[in-house]
């Protein structure tokens, strides 16, 4: 799937009725249908909190929605908000559609405003709110006004983030936890979660978009990619996400769906402590990496060699890319480093193994650590590794190219695994955040990308295409470049 322009129609109120859902397949008269069996790659890492990485689990299973959604071209489209308009430089007014929460209560302006307010108080803050201060208040019988401390031209995109999903007041009874069980608004409601093993969902019969075709979803969290592929082959599941490239060829061609995504796999070098505090040592590591070998070998052609933070799926990026200014590689002299990654995406340990060999050839001594992501994230964010291999969807949080730079690569970013804190980068990102014109914002984003790459804190390795296993009996699976959706009202077997 190739994307046109990311932000071009941003300030126009969209007329589309949904994101990727096939609305013509859902409706009040739909037959009950069978239950769907889904194998997901990532178990919940944060007790299904909507404010972190688990938010995409909820959105992919059709549990949660925000005021807006994203279409395949990165345009903000209606979700719980039927329309919106910008009232002044800092305030947007969203008009709600008639909808009910999964607990049967009405979606009201007060409930929406309270839900957004709760998200602003979460610590750490949701990535979509990195560097942004907003307040939400009811406005009449059907309106919600959202005001930001500074003008925010991409607010409709920001509110499409899975981490800014809307929940009923019941979800917030425990002040320290948001309970997503039967409190969201999507076509499927959680009824049971068994730790990091499985989740059971039933159809939300009051869904505003019409009755879903499937009666429910039985989801299993299967970190092992080969096991997910085997489960699809043997008919144990109907949908298997993130099929490893090593397993793709073993699936029948009719069951393989390959989607170009905005996901980039990168080598992140710890600039805060350890040997990679030295820019020349980081430059030596960057110079040692052969990205084309990774794309051809590890990914077997299901990826493109890394060219930047944004890959080919961000179609405007290549023509605006700025060459970064970098320091010269320094002497390595047997420097010892710890390289870590996770095995939920089966290619990553192999990528790390190849990188280990390439770095050792350049003179580094490398210790490799591989764990399941939920057992690795806190250490990575705390800067306990010298280097980290991460697969990151660069537009998953907001659909805005600047957001990932602010969240991942600035002094106050909440997902700054490289521990990068460079005044030049912060200035470039701040300039991009303040730019409203679409083309100028893209130019500023690419200048900020060059500033980040110039530090060698980030070494882009490959731009991924994701293989999803889908049984031939299944229709209406929702595949998109941002990996936010998977199952919707029209998904059925």
């Amino acid at each position: 799937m190739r994307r046109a322009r990311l932000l071009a129609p941003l300030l126009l109120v969209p007329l589309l009725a949904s994101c990727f859902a096939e609305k013509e397949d859902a409706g009040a008269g739909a037959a009950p249908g069978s239950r769907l069996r889904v194998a997901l790659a990532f178990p919940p890492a944060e007790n299904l909190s909507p404010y972190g990485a688990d938010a995409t689990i909820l959105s992919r299973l059709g549990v949660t929605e925000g005021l807006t959604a994203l279409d395949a071209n990165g345009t903000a489209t209606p979700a719980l908000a039927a329309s919106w308009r910008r009232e002044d430089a800092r305030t947007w007014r969203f008009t709600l559609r008639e909808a009910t929460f999964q607990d049967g209560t009405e979606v009201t302006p007060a409930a929406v405003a309270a839900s957004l307010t709760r998200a602003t108080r979460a610590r750490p803050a949701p990535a979509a709110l990195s560097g942004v201060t907003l307040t939400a208040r009811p406005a009449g019988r059907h309106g919600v006004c959202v005001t930001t401390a500074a003008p925010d031209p991409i607010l409709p995109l920001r509110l499409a983030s899975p981490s800014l999903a809307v929940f009923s007041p019941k979800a917030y009874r425990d002040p320290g936890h948001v309970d997503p069980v039967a409190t969201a608004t999507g076509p499927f409601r959680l009824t049971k979660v068994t730790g990091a093993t499985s989740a059971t969902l039933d159809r939300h019969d009051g869904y505003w978009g019409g009755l879903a075709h499937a009666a429910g979803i039985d989801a299993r969290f299967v970190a092992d990619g080969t096991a997910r592929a085997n489960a699809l082959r043997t008919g144990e599941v109907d949908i298997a996400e993130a099929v490893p490239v090593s397993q793709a060829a073993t699936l029948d061609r009719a069951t393989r769906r390959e989607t170009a995504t905005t996901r980039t796999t990168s080598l992140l070098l710890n600039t805060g402590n350890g040997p990679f505090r030295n820019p020349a040592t980081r430059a030596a590591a960057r110079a040692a990496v052969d990205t084309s070998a990774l794309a051809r070998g590890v990914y077997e052609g299901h990826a493109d060699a890394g060219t930047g933070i944004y890959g080919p799926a961000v179609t405007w990026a290549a023509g605006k890319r700025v060459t970064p200014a970098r320091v010269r590689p320094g002497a390595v002299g047997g420097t010892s480093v710890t390289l870590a990654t996770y095995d939920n995406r089966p290619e990553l340990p192999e990528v790390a193994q190849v990188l280990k060999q390439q770095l050792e050839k350049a003179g580094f001594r490398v210790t490799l650590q591989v764990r399941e992501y939920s057992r690795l994230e806190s250490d990575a964010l705390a800067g306990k590794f010298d280097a980290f291999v991460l697969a990151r969807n660069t537009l998953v949080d907001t659909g805005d190219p600047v957001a990932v730079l602010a969240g991942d690569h600035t002094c106050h970013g909440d997902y700054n695994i490289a521990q990068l804190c460079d005044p030049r980068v912060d200035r470039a990102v701040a300039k991009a955040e303040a730019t409203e014109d679409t083309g100028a914002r893209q130019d500023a984003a690419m200048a900020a990308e060059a500033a980040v790459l110039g530090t060698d804190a980030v070494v882009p390795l490959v731009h991924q295409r994701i293989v999803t296993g889908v049984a031939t009996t299944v229709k209406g699976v929702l595949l998109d470049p941002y990996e936010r959706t998977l199952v919707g009202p029209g998904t059925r077997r």
Side-chain angles (χ1 to χ4, degrees), residues 355-372:
L355 288 176
K356 180 176 184 291
Q357 296 170 1
Q358 293 179 350
L359 291 170
E360 287 176 340
K361 185 177 179 180
F364 290 94
R365 285 192 248 175
V366 182
T367 301
L368 182 60
Q369 291 194 28
V370 178
R371 304 180 208 160
E372 195 268 331

Side-chain angles (χ1 to χ4, degrees), residues 59-442:
S59 68
R60 287 173 70 75
L61 289 175
V63 175
T64 55
E65 299 174 304
L67 288 179
T68 61
L70 292 184
D71 70 9
N73 293 321
T75 303
T77 64
L80 290 177
S83 62
W84 54 88
R85 68 175 184 267
R86 195 171 190 176
E87 297 206 319
D88 58 46
R90 298 189 300 112
T91 302
W92 297 72
R93 182 187 178 99
F94 295 83
T95 300
L96 303 181
R97 67 174 74 250
E98 292 186 8
T100 59
F101 290 109
Q102 293 158 353
D103 59 12
T105 59
E106 183 183 357
V107 176
T108 64
V112 171
S115 189
L116 292 176
T117 299
R118 181 63 178 262
T120 67
R121 296 173 181 169
R123 294 295 178 270
L129 294 180
S130 178
V132 175
T133 301
L134 65 79
T135 57
R137 60 178 175 81
R141 294 181 58 190
H142 303 291
V144 174
C145 281
V146 180
T147 301
T148 53
D152 186 8
I154 60 109
L155 185 66
L157 289 179
R158 195 180 302 282
L159 293 177
S161 170
S163 63
L164 298 182
V166 174
F167 295 89
S168 74
K170 180 181 176 182
Y172 306 108
R173 289 179 177 176
D174 179 353
H177 172 64
V178 181
D179 184 1
V181 175
T183 59
T185 63
F188 296 99
R189 59 185 178 90
L190 276 173
T191 59
K192 181 181 179 181
V193 180
T194 307
T197 304
S198 63
T200 303
L201 302 88
D202 291 336
R203 178 171 46 213
H204 173 202
D205 291 341
Y207 181 56
W208 62 265
L211 197 66
H213 277 270
I217 301 171
D218 297 311
R220 293 162 49 191
F221 302 109
V222 184
D224 185 272
T226 301
R228 290 195 301 277
N230 286 338
L232 181 74
R233 274 196 299 268
T234 59
E236 294 177 44
V237 301
D238 305 304
I239 304 170
E241 73 168 0
V243 173
V245 294
S246 61
Q247 296 293 314
T250 69
L251 296 181
D252 186 275
R253 183 180 295 274
T255 65
R256 296 198 310 262
R257 309 282 183 86
E258 184 167 298
T259 309
T261 74
T262 55
R263 180 172 296 278
T264 296
T265 297
S266 299
L267 174 64
L268 304 176
L269 303 178
N270 187 343
T271 66
N273 57 74
F276 288 127
R277 287 187 65 186
N278 185 338
T281 306
R282 296 198 300 270
R286 181 251 308 157
V289 173
D290 180 359
T291 60
S292 61
L294 296 171
R296 291 193 312 268
V298 176
Y299 286 89
E300 301 178 13
H302 294 283
D304 302 297
T307 56
I309 293 172
Y310 313 106
V314 185
T315 54
W316 52 262
K320 293 175 176 282
R321 182 152 279 125
V322 178
T323 301
R326 291 181 165 121
V327 302
R328 295 172 63 104
V332 174
T335 300
S336 296
V337 298
T338 300
L339 171 64
T341 194
Y342 47 101
D343 56 10
N344 304 77
R345 297 188 180 276
E347 299 83 10
L348 296 188
E350 189 175 351
V351 168
Q353 186 62 48
V354 174
L355 288 176
K356 180 176 184 291
Q357 296 170 1
Q358 293 179 350
L359 291 170
E360 287 176 340
K361 185 177 179 180
F364 290 94
R365 285 192 248 175
V366 182
T367 301
L368 182 60
Q369 291 194 28
V370 178
R371 304 180 208 160
E372 195 268 331
Y373 182 81
S374 63
R375 298 175 52 240
L376 197 70
E377 182 185 60
S378 59
D379 284 349
L381 290 171
K384 293 186 178 181
F385 307 115
D386 299 314
F388 192 81
V389 178
L390 175 73
R392 176 80 157 125
N393 194 316
T394 57
L395 298 182
V396 71
D397 294 323
T398 65
D400 171 46
V402 182
V404 72
L405 301 177
D408 291 17
H409 307 302
T410 60
C411 294
H412 301 292
D414 345 32
Y415 200 65
N416 190 351
I417 291 177
Q419 313 296 308
L420 181 62
C421 187
D422 186 305
R424 292 169 298 180
V425 170
D426 279 21
R427 285 194 297 270
V429 172
K431 180 180 178 180
E433 287 180 314
T435 304
E436 297 194 16
D437 175 76
T438 300
R441 189 178 182 89
Q442 292 171 351

